[in-house]
Amino acid sequence: MVAILVVMVSMTSGCLTLDPTVTLGTADSSVFKGASTTDSVAAGKVDTRVTLTDGATTSEGVTQLNVIDATGKAVYKTPVESGETSVTLMLPTTGTVTIVAVNTVNGTVVETRNATITGKKVI
């Protein structure tokens, strides 16, 4: 059964990772409080819940989060509503990405943080 699942996942997504974890640098951050995932198996992407500070969307003005991969390409972005303190992002199954909090109204970068995704890569 597991072998069939592995073959099916590899055919559709190309990468299977067991027990993925996400570490987000939050020291002295005015926007980010942390990141977590509940996925025990990730196929291609890891659903990651990013927790924001209470003032991220109000006093800091964050309206969107962008995920930038190691090559500098934007691989995911999502709007952030005023007052929202938890956002789900799709991250790669392993490696390092940069999460950029932006204010799309005035076109500024509010804060940038690195996130490292680790896990046991099966395929």
Side-chain angles (χ1 to χ4, degrees):
M1 178 74 163
V2 173
I4 293 170
L5 174 64
V6 169
V7 170
M8 289 173 57
V9 169
S10 66
M11 287 173 35
T12 59
S13 67
C15 186
L16 180 68
T17 301
L18 302 177
D19 299 320
T21 60
V22 177
T23 305
L24 177 65
T26 59
D28 301 320
S29 176
S30 60
V31 173
F32 300 101
K33 287 175 81 173
S36 63
T37 182
T38 57
D39 289 343
S40 60
V41 177
K45 301 287 182 186
V46 178
D47 290 332
T48 304
R49 181 168 300 277
V50 175
T51 307
L52 306 175
T53 63
D54 291 338
T57 61
T58 54
S59 59
E60 298 299 323
V62 175
T63 60
Q64 182 171 293
L65 295 181
N66 298 334
V67 178
I68 311 298
D69 70 9
T71 68
K73 179 183 173 187
V75 293
Y76 189 82
K77 60 184 169 181
T78 190
V80 182
E81 300 298 324
S82 182
E84 197 169 13
T85 57
S86 182
V87 179
T88 299
L89 300 177
M90 300 298 288
L91 303 182
T93 55
T94 58
T96 300
V97 296
T98 303
I99 301 176
V100 183
V102 297
N103 180 317
T104 57
V105 175
N106 63 19
T108 60
V109 172
V110 178
E111 193 170 292
T112 301
R113 295 292 165 150
N114 289 329
T116 303
I117 307 95
T118 57
K120 183 178 180 186
K121 192 171 185 176
V122 176
I123 296 174

